[in-house]
Amino acid sequence: MEEPLASKRSVTVADVARAAKVSKATAARVLGGYGVVSDKIRAQVTAAAAALEYRPNELARSMTTGKSGIIGVVVGDIENAFFSLAVRGISDVARMAGFNVIIANSGEELEAEKSAVDLLIGKRVDGLIVTPARCDRMEHLRDIRRVGVPLVLFDRSIPELGVDSVTGDDFDAAATATRYLLDAGHRHIAYISAMDAADERLTDSRELSNSAVRERVEGVLKAQAAAGIEDPQRYVRLGATDQARTDTVVKHLLQEMPVPTALVASDSLVGLRVFKSLQALGLSIPADISMISFLDADWTTVTTPPITVVDQPVYEMGKKAAERLISRLNGRDMPVERTAVKTSLIKRGSVASPPHSSEQ
């Protein structure tokens, strides 16, 4: 009678060694990918392992080699297409280099990020890629360095932490988008962010704990200041974290006098929420208000009109972060580097001259 599947014993290194007629230590070296053996012996052990359907014990291998073959990734919001694309870039590079990836989602919450980091360190990951929820709270990130695990920051940078980072050119991208609106004749330009805040109005950009948000806000404000716009900060809004709060933010923004005639959305999720808010209010884009969103997400091409976007090469950013980390894991001695990946503006139909431009 055939032995029940549940009672079958796992094939061990000793079983492979007996089948290959080598010592257990030799079989372990071949199966663990370390040490030196002849091509003939490696072929014998590999053939025996395949015949016995041997599956490696990853925990045992990590205890033997000190390596798990795993990279941990902590992202801000996996629902956001930005992070989904980034993870794909990271995973593709990791797979080609022989690494598996474990992904954790912080939801942009600091405590959730700390828990994810602790969990991944506990799983003995070889390296970490983290999108920090806050750039002013970094003790848990310092702990990563203290335990000797290489770390690369993604999308946000913390210079004082002294680790590699891969970001977009956030300041330049926001300034370019703002100048495009200024060139179209707009003088009342809003910026809407999903960054959670007690007050939707911005008081001081230097207090923003997210480096990407801070640099984009400063790009928007400085481009307007250079054009002679007075008090552009009055049109910056935070807290567009869901549709209901975005509806409120947009309504309050449109009560400003003069009414803003153009806006920039901080990411694709915010952009979609803002688009829905404007639709619900019966406003037409760009006849009533012009709009630009960060990230060339799928929805931006199927709206009427299609949305002008800051095109972020997010997949490439993810690849660069993984390549940097894997270089560290492979022992390359490199200076710490912040890589800012260039963006571009894709001009579509959502930007036009402001209504009643002669009164602006």
Side-chain angles (χ1 to χ4, degrees):
M1 188 172 74
E2 197 172 293
E3 186 182 4
L5 182 62
S7 65
K8 284 188 177 179
R9 182 174 62 85
S10 297
V11 177
T12 66
V13 173
D15 295 329
V16 175
R18 278 193 295 271
K21 295 183 173 56
V22 299
S23 70
K24 183 178 175 182
T26 298
R29 283 197 295 274
V30 174
L31 298 172
Y34 62 92
V36 179
V37 296
S38 69
D39 291 342
K40 179 182 177 182
I41 293 298
R42 181 177 290 104
Q44 284 178 220
V45 173
T46 302
L52 294 172
E53 297 183 351
Y54 169 78
R55 296 291 183 270
N57 183 320
E58 296 295 342
L59 177 59
R61 184 170 70 179
S62 70
M63 292 174 68
T64 302
T65 65
K67 300 293 182 183
S68 66
I70 298 172
I71 290 171
V73 180
V74 183
V75 297
D77 183 1
I78 201 66
E79 181 188 1
N80 192 322
F82 176 90
F83 290 114
S84 299
L85 280 170
V87 165
R88 198 163 75 190
I90 292 168
S91 299
D92 285 352
V93 169
R95 185 178 64 252
M96 293 296 291
F99 289 89
N100 292 312
V101 175
I102 297 178
I103 302 163
N105 184 49
S106 73
E108 300 289 8
E109 295 288 341
L110 180 63
E111 292 307 315
E113 179 186 311
K114 289 180 179 179
S115 296
V117 166
D118 287 344
L119 175 66
L120 292 168
I121 293 295
K123 289 187 175 294
R124 300 170 64 92
V125 295
D126 295 333
L128 278 165
I129 297 173
V130 176
T131 300
R134 297 181 63 100
C135 297
D136 58 351
R137 302 282 294 278
M138 67 188 85
E139 192 57 32
H140 63 298
L141 301 177
R142 292 192 192 279
D143 287 341
I144 297 172
R145 300 196 65 199
R146 289 189 190 107
V147 299
V149 176
L151 168 66
V152 173
L153 300 184
F154 180 76
D155 185 47
R156 296 149 202 182
S157 66
I158 307 176
E160 55 268 40
L161 191 61
V163 299
D164 298 314
S165 64
V166 177
T167 69
D169 60 340
D170 294 302
F171 179 91
D172 290 343
T176 297
T178 304
R179 283 193 292 268
Y180 180 58
L181 293 171
L182 290 166
D183 290 345
H186 295 278
R187 293 297 178 267
H188 310 297
I189 300 169
Y191 180 86
I192 301 177
S193 170
M195 184 171 177
D196 204 2
D199 187 346
E200 67 184 47
R201 289 177 176 271
L202 177 69
T203 54
D204 186 343
S205 64
R206 293 171 298 182
E207 296 176 0
L208 293 170
S209 63
N210 180 315
S211 66
V213 174
R214 182 175 63 251
E215 290 184 18
R216 290 179 191 181
V217 167
E218 289 178 350
V220 168
L221 295 180
K222 290 189 178 179
Q224 293 186 71
I229 305 299
E230 294 184 7
D231 193 23
Q233 187 168 296
R234 65 185 294 195
Y235 294 114
V236 175
R237 292 293 187 275
L238 308 173
T241 54
D242 56 31
Q243 191 60 55
R245 289 189 67 181
T246 303
D247 289 344
T248 300
V249 166
V250 171
K251 285 178 183 177
H252 289 169
L253 195 53
L254 295 176
Q255 290 168 2
E256 289 286 343
M257 294 302 292
V259 177
T261 60
L263 63 86
V264 179
S266 63
D267 64 50
S268 63
L269 278 181
V270 173
L272 182 55
R273 292 178 195 135
V274 168
F275 183 83
K276 290 178 178 179
S277 297
L278 295 174
Q279 275 193 323
L281 292 170
L283 295 176
S284 175
I285 300 171
D288 296 317
I289 189 167
S290 290
M291 176 177 173
I292 296 176
S293 178
F294 271 75
L295 190 64
D296 188 21
D298 289 343
W299 72 267
T300 63
T301 62
V302 297
T303 56
T304 303
I307 305 298
T308 296
V309 295
V310 175
D311 184 24
Q312 300 166 281
V314 185
Y315 178 82
E316 292 300 320
M317 289 170 63
K319 286 181 64 177
K320 286 181 181 295
E323 288 165 355
R324 192 72 181 174
L325 180 62
I326 290 167
S327 292
R328 294 279 184 200
L329 295 176
N330 288 338
R332 286 191 59 191
D333 185 17
M334 307 174 293
V336 171
E337 180 176 276
R338 175 184 176 182
T339 303
V341 180
K342 290 294 181 185
T343 57
S344 60
L345 191 67
I346 299 178
K347 300 172 184 178
R348 296 179 180 140
S350 64
V351 175
S353 297
H356 315 299
S357 57
S358 61
E359 298 175 16
Q360 299 300 310

